[in-house]
Amino acid sequence: QVRLVESGGGLVQTGGSLRLSCAASGATFNNYIMGWFRQAPGDDREFVGHIFWSGGSPYLIESVEGRFTISRDTAKNTVFLQMNSLKPEDTAVYYCAARLMTRGWDAAYWGQGTRVTVSS
């Protein structure tokens, strides 16, 4: 079974940076897409971006593009979300997700989440 464990969240001031990690295990991820989602209090879970495990450029939603980047270290089975120039509206619980290329996010595996709080 696939297991995803996020880490790296915390409290940071506006303009600061955090790097979130997602440690993946339980599968060979060559055929997977790794995603980052976030959920703010009272809001639905929001897609942030994704990267193909096998390679290629990451995709980020417009509201974070230029501030956030996604990368992965395949040797360590770890995906990263580098967050720079953080804003209070980035405050949320951030989740790592993994899905087969042949399936949608509704069939994804999920981590437990890591909390990011950006203070003003």
PDB file of all heavy atoms in Angstrom, residues 41-56:
ATOM      1  N   PRO A  41      -9.019  26.799   6.553  1.00  0.00           N
ATOM      2  CA  PRO A  41     -10.204  26.636   7.394  1.00  0.00           C
ATOM      3  C   PRO A  41     -11.469  27.131   6.709  1.00  0.00           C
ATOM      4  O   PRO A  41     -11.505  28.253   6.198  1.00  0.00           O
ATOM      5  CB  PRO A  41      -9.873  27.475   8.634  1.00  0.00           C
ATOM      6  CG  PRO A  41      -8.376  27.477   8.691  1.00  0.00           C
ATOM      7  CD  PRO A  41      -7.936  27.513   7.255  1.00  0.00           C
ATOM      8  N   GLY A  42     -12.481  26.278   6.661  1.00  0.00           N
ATOM      9  CA  GLY A  42     -13.748  26.633   6.054  1.00  0.00           C
ATOM     10  C   GLY A  42     -13.805  26.507   4.549  1.00  0.00           C
ATOM     11  O   GLY A  42     -14.863  26.742   3.959  1.00  0.00           O
ATOM     12  N   ASP A  43     -12.702  26.155   3.916  1.00  0.00           N
ATOM     13  CA  ASP A  43     -12.638  26.051   2.464  1.00  0.00           C
ATOM     14  C   ASP A  43     -12.527  24.604   2.017  1.00  0.00           C
ATOM     15  O   ASP A  43     -12.167  23.710   2.782  1.00  0.00           O
ATOM     16  CB  ASP A  43     -11.437  26.825   1.913  1.00  0.00           C
ATOM     17  CG  ASP A  43     -11.557  28.320   2.070  1.00  0.00           C
ATOM     18  OD1 ASP A  43     -12.673  28.804   2.335  1.00  0.00           O
ATOM     19  OD2 ASP A  43     -10.526  29.014   1.918  1.00  0.00           O
ATOM     20  N   ASP A  44     -12.846  24.379   0.742  1.00  0.00           N
ATOM     21  CA  ASP A  44     -12.628  23.071   0.136  1.00  0.00           C
ATOM     22  C   ASP A  44     -11.147  22.871  -0.140  1.00  0.00           C
ATOM     23  O   ASP A  44     -10.366  23.819  -0.211  1.00  0.00           O
ATOM     24  CB  ASP A  44     -13.412  22.947  -1.167  1.00  0.00           C
ATOM     25  CG  ASP A  44     -14.904  22.956  -0.974  1.00  0.00           C
ATOM     26  OD1 ASP A  44     -15.371  22.487   0.082  1.00  0.00           O
ATOM     27  OD2 ASP A  44     -15.615  23.421  -1.887  1.00  0.00           O
ATOM     28  N   ARG A  45     -10.773  21.624  -0.314  1.00  0.00           N
ATOM     29  CA  ARG A  45      -9.405  21.317  -0.670  1.00  0.00           C
ATOM     30  C   ARG A  45      -9.101  21.843  -2.072  1.00  0.00           C
ATOM     31  O   ARG A  45      -9.878  21.658  -3.002  1.00  0.00           O
ATOM     32  CB  ARG A  45      -9.166  19.811  -0.592  1.00  0.00           C
ATOM     33  CG  ARG A  45      -7.702  19.415  -0.686  1.00  0.00           C
ATOM     34  CD  ARG A  45      -7.499  17.948  -0.334  1.00  0.00           C
ATOM     35  NE  ARG A  45      -7.869  17.671   1.043  1.00  0.00           N
ATOM     36  CZ  ARG A  45      -7.655  16.513   1.663  1.00  0.00           C
ATOM     37  NH1 ARG A  45      -7.058  15.524   1.009  1.00  0.00           N
ATOM     38  NH2 ARG A  45      -8.042  16.342   2.910  1.00  0.00           N
ATOM     39  N   GLU A  46      -7.969  22.511  -2.209  1.00  0.00           N
ATOM     40  CA  GLU A  46      -7.590  23.189  -3.433  1.00  0.00           C
ATOM     41  C   GLU A  46      -6.339  22.554  -4.024  1.00  0.00           C
ATOM     42  O   GLU A  46      -5.350  22.336  -3.324  1.00  0.00           O
ATOM     43  CB  GLU A  46      -7.330  24.675  -3.149  1.00  0.00           C
ATOM     44  CG  GLU A  46      -6.819  25.478  -4.337  1.00  0.00           C
ATOM     45  CD  GLU A  46      -6.384  26.878  -3.955  1.00  0.00           C
ATOM     46  OE1 GLU A  46      -5.947  27.072  -2.795  1.00  0.00           O
ATOM     47  OE2 GLU A  46      -6.484  27.783  -4.811  1.00  0.00           O
ATOM     48  N   PHE A  47      -6.371  22.295  -5.313  1.00  0.00           N
ATOM     49  CA  PHE A  47      -5.197  21.814  -6.027  1.00  0.00           C
ATOM     50  C   PHE A  47      -4.173  22.934  -6.145  1.00  0.00           C
ATOM     51  O   PHE A  47      -4.503  24.051  -6.524  1.00  0.00           O
ATOM     52  CB  PHE A  47      -5.611  21.313  -7.412  1.00  0.00           C
ATOM     53  CG  PHE A  47      -4.471  20.946  -8.308  1.00  0.00           C
ATOM     54  CD1 PHE A  47      -3.771  19.767  -8.130  1.00  0.00           C
ATOM     55  CD2 PHE A  47      -4.107  21.774  -9.364  1.00  0.00           C
ATOM     56  CE1 PHE A  47      -2.732  19.415  -8.970  1.00  0.00           C
ATOM     57  CE2 PHE A  47      -3.069  21.439 -10.207  1.00  0.00           C
ATOM     58  CZ  PHE A  47      -2.383  20.254 -10.001  1.00  0.00           C
ATOM     59  N   VAL A  48      -2.916  22.634  -5.823  1.00  0.00           N
ATOM     60  CA  VAL A  48      -1.837  23.611  -5.887  1.00  0.00           C
ATOM     61  C   VAL A  48      -0.927  23.365  -7.083  1.00  0.00           C
ATOM     62  O   VAL A  48      -0.569  24.293  -7.806  1.00  0.00           O
ATOM     63  CB  VAL A  48      -1.015  23.610  -4.589  1.00  0.00           C
ATOM     64  CG1 VAL A  48       0.184  24.552  -4.706  1.00  0.00           C
ATOM     65  CG2 VAL A  48      -1.886  24.007  -3.408  1.00  0.00           C
ATOM     66  N   GLY A  49      -0.544  22.123  -7.295  1.00  0.00           N
ATOM     67  CA  GLY A  49       0.326  21.800  -8.407  1.00  0.00           C
ATOM     68  C   GLY A  49       0.681  20.336  -8.423  1.00  0.00           C
ATOM     69  O   GLY A  49       0.307  19.578  -7.527  1.00  0.00           O
ATOM     70  N   HIS A  50       1.415  19.932  -9.452  1.00  0.00           N
ATOM     71  CA  HIS A  50       1.833  18.535  -9.549  1.00  0.00           C
ATOM     72  C   HIS A  50       3.115  18.410 -10.351  1.00  0.00           C
ATOM     73  O   HIS A  50       3.547  19.340 -11.041  1.00  0.00           O
ATOM     74  CB  HIS A  50       0.735  17.652 -10.167  1.00  0.00           C
ATOM     75  CG  HIS A  50       0.489  17.892 -11.633  1.00  0.00           C
ATOM     76  ND1 HIS A  50      -0.686  18.411 -12.107  1.00  0.00           N
ATOM     77  CD2 HIS A  50       1.259  17.653 -12.728  1.00  0.00           C
ATOM     78  CE1 HIS A  50      -0.631  18.494 -13.428  1.00  0.00           C
ATOM     79  NE2 HIS A  50       0.543  18.043 -13.819  1.00  0.00           N
ATOM     80  N   ILE A  51       3.725  17.251 -10.235  1.00  0.00           N
ATOM     81  CA  ILE A  51       4.892  16.902 -11.025  1.00  0.00           C
ATOM     82  C   ILE A  51       4.821  15.420 -11.357  1.00  0.00           C
ATOM     83  O   ILE A  51       4.390  14.620 -10.539  1.00  0.00           O
ATOM     84  CB  ILE A  51       6.204  17.247 -10.281  1.00  0.00           C
ATOM     85  CG1 ILE A  51       7.418  17.120 -11.206  1.00  0.00           C
ATOM     86  CG2 ILE A  51       6.370  16.384  -9.035  1.00  0.00           C
ATOM     87  CD1 ILE A  51       8.691  17.719 -10.617  1.00  0.00           C
ATOM     88  N   PHE A  52       5.214  15.060 -12.569  1.00  0.00           N
ATOM     89  CA  PHE A  52       5.301  13.661 -12.932  1.00  0.00           C
ATOM     90  C   PHE A  52       6.532  13.051 -12.285  1.00  0.00           C
ATOM     91  O   PHE A  52       7.626  13.624 -12.344  1.00  0.00           O
ATOM     92  CB  PHE A  52       5.407  13.489 -14.454  1.00  0.00           C
ATOM     93  CG  PHE A  52       4.113  13.664 -15.184  1.00  0.00           C
ATOM     94  CD1 PHE A  52       3.456  14.878 -15.206  1.00  0.00           C
ATOM     95  CD2 PHE A  52       3.545  12.592 -15.865  1.00  0.00           C
ATOM     96  CE1 PHE A  52       2.261  15.031 -15.880  1.00  0.00           C
ATOM     97  CE2 PHE A  52       2.356  12.740 -16.552  1.00  0.00           C
ATOM     98  CZ  PHE A  52       1.710  13.960 -16.555  1.00  0.00           C
ATOM     99  N   TRP A  53       6.356  11.907 -11.633  1.00  0.00           N
ATOM    100  CA  TRP A  53       7.486  11.246 -10.996  1.00  0.00           C
ATOM    101  C   TRP A  53       8.597  10.962 -11.999  1.00  0.00           C
ATOM    102  O   TRP A  53       9.785  11.057 -11.666  1.00  0.00           O
ATOM    103  CB  TRP A  53       7.033   9.946 -10.333  1.00  0.00           C
ATOM    104  CG  TRP A  53       8.076   9.324  -9.471  1.00  0.00           C
ATOM    105  CD1 TRP A  53       9.006   8.397  -9.834  1.00  0.00           C
ATOM    106  CD2 TRP A  53       8.295   9.601  -8.086  1.00  0.00           C
ATOM    107  NE1 TRP A  53       9.792   8.075  -8.768  1.00  0.00           N
ATOM    108  CE2 TRP A  53       9.381   8.798  -7.678  1.00  0.00           C
ATOM    109  CE3 TRP A  53       7.684  10.445  -7.160  1.00  0.00           C
ATOM    110  CZ2 TRP A  53       9.868   8.819  -6.371  1.00  0.00           C
ATOM    111  CZ3 TRP A  53       8.161  10.466  -5.866  1.00  0.00           C
ATOM    112  CH2 TRP A  53       9.237   9.653  -5.489  1.00  0.00           C
ATOM    113  N   SER A  54       8.223  10.616 -13.214  1.00  0.00           N
ATOM    114  CA  SER A  54       9.192  10.228 -14.234  1.00  0.00           C
ATOM    115  C   SER A  54       9.987  11.398 -14.795  1.00  0.00           C
ATOM    116  O   SER A  54      10.999  11.183 -15.469  1.00  0.00           O
ATOM    117  CB  SER A  54       8.488   9.492 -15.371  1.00  0.00           C
ATOM    118  OG  SER A  54       7.486  10.296 -15.958  1.00  0.00           O
ATOM    119  N   GLY A  55       9.546  12.626 -14.547  1.00  0.00           N
ATOM    120  CA  GLY A  55      10.274  13.778 -15.009  1.00  0.00           C
ATOM    121  C   GLY A  55       9.389  14.837 -15.629  1.00  0.00           C
ATOM    122  O   GLY A  55       8.162  14.718 -15.657  1.00  0.00           O
ATOM    123  N   GLY A  56      10.019  15.881 -16.113  1.00  0.00           N
ATOM    124  CA  GLY A  56       9.309  16.977 -16.720  1.00  0.00           C
ATOM    125  C   GLY A  56       9.147  18.148 -15.765  1.00  0.00           C
ATOM    126  O   GLY A  56       9.484  18.082 -14.584  1.00  0.00           O
TER     127      GLY A  56
END
